[in-house]
Amino acid sequence: MIITIDGPAGTGKSTVARALAERLGFEFLDTGALYRAIAWYCLENNVSHDDATRIVELTSTVHIRWEDARLWVNEEEVTEKIRSEEVTLGASRVAVISEVRDALNDVQRKIAEAQNIVTEGRDQGTVVFPHAQCKFYLNASAEERARRRFLELTNNGELAEYETILEQIRERDERDATREIAPLKPAPDAILIDSTNLKPERVLDKLEQTARK
Ligand code: C5P
């Protein structure tokens, strides 16, 4: 069984998808992490996130492994390393390249062949798993998503500026929604959930109830 959760950055998709997978005893797949892996690997190899030719070359030789919510690039574990701001913005740049998307779609489908999964991203219900049995689209206002990210960073003792975060979220939303291939949008058969005024536990309960039907 495949459950897809799509939506823009900062809606709490990842947290909810991970918790839902745990409740159902499914594997959890964070597909954004795979795009981040390519962006991180570009930085490691001094390849600009705008250099499509070199990025496609790197993508064709790199080995990406996702297991138990941890990520390896050519045997180096990068689970935490891919969370920097530089990698975050780079991921949305490499994600506009069709060869990169094709390669990562293959990785995602292979993972889903082997087990039941809850998979989250931008195109899971629309492109990668159009036949998924259960699809969700999670949204929240850009201001609320920026507020959550701001709190997360400051709670970790990091320096953060709300306006800058909001600007970055809008920039990523714009790029994800307007790109030519696999633009961010809900699948026609996805259940839409707005989490602006909902606590993650409430979202999780809603998803679980629907998934178990
Ligand atoms: O979800 P996360 O913020 O980790 O995703 C990083 C970037 O990867 C997104 O901004 C988006 O551009 C890209 N992405 C994508 N398709 C997916 C998952 C992520 O294009 N299925």
Side-chain angles (χ1 to χ4, degrees):
M1 176 163 178
I2 299 173
I3 298 176
T4 62
I5 306 179
D6 289 306
T11 49
K13 283 192 314 278
S14 218
T15 313
V16 166
R18 188 190 294 262
L20 181 64
E22 199 163 301
R23 283 192 184 182
L24 299 173
F26 286 16
E27 171 74 270
F28 154 66
L29 174 59
D30 167 2
T31 60
L34 308 180
Y35 288 91
R36 288 167 180 269
I38 300 291
W40 175 83
Y41 195 53
C42 288
L43 292 173
E44 283 291 293
N45 286 279
N46 292 317
V47 168
S48 152
H49 290 139
D50 294 322
D51 187 345
T53 310
R54 290 280 288 121
I55 295 171
V56 171
E57 271 170 31
L58 282 185
T59 305
S60 66
T61 55
V62 74
H63 182 244
I64 295 177
R65 183 158 65 96
W66 171 267
E67 218 178 281
D68 295 333
R70 307 205 71 77
L71 182 73
W72 287 262
V73 173
N74 292 343
E75 301 311 315
E76 175 169 357
E77 202 197 327
V78 297
T79 314
E80 276 87 36
K81 293 179 186 157
I82 57 165
R83 297 291 151 195
S84 72
E85 289 305 313
E86 205 179 7
V87 172
T88 303
L89 282 177
S92 76
R93 290 182 181 277
V94 303
V96 303
I97 304 169
S98 64
E99 289 90 339
V100 170
R101 302 204 70 86
D102 289 344
L104 295 183
N105 290 352
D106 285 348
V107 172
Q108 294 160 36
R109 291 184 182 123
K110 278 221 177 70
I111 294 170
E113 264 171 24
Q115 61 229 307
N116 292 325
I117 59 165
V118 177
T119 177
E120 61 98 349
R122 307 290 192 286
D123 59 350
Q124 300 299 285
T126 48
V127 175
V128 188
F129 302 111
H131 304 302
Q133 293 86 343
C134 187
K135 300 180 184 178
F136 298 101
Y137 188 89
L138 212 55
N139 212 341
S141 71
E143 290 76 11
E144 174 60 18
R145 291 185 281 131
R147 194 187 68 85
R148 290 177 193 168
R149 179 76 184 135
F150 174 78
L151 288 179
E152 189 183 317
L153 288 170
T154 46
N155 285 342
N156 284 345
E158 291 179 45
L159 273 183
E161 205 182 308
Y162 172 81
E163 287 303 329
T164 312
I165 295 172
L166 180 59
E167 205 175 293
Q168 285 173 351
I169 281 188
R170 290 201 166 121
E171 182 188 329
R172 275 217 287 162
D173 281 1
E174 169 77 11
R175 194 157 38 229
D176 290 348
T178 57
R179 69 179 173 221
E180 277 176 28
I181 20 159
L184 173 65
K185 62 173 183 208
D189 52 345
I191 296 163
L192 308 183
I193 296 175
D194 188 323
S195 77
T196 308
N197 298 310
L198 285 180
K199 289 208 158 58
E201 304 84 72
R202 283 288 303 127
V203 177
L204 180 57
D205 290 343
K206 271 184 177 224
L207 264 56
E208 188 186 3
Q209 278 163 16
T210 313
R212 287 191 187 277
K213 269 187 199 156

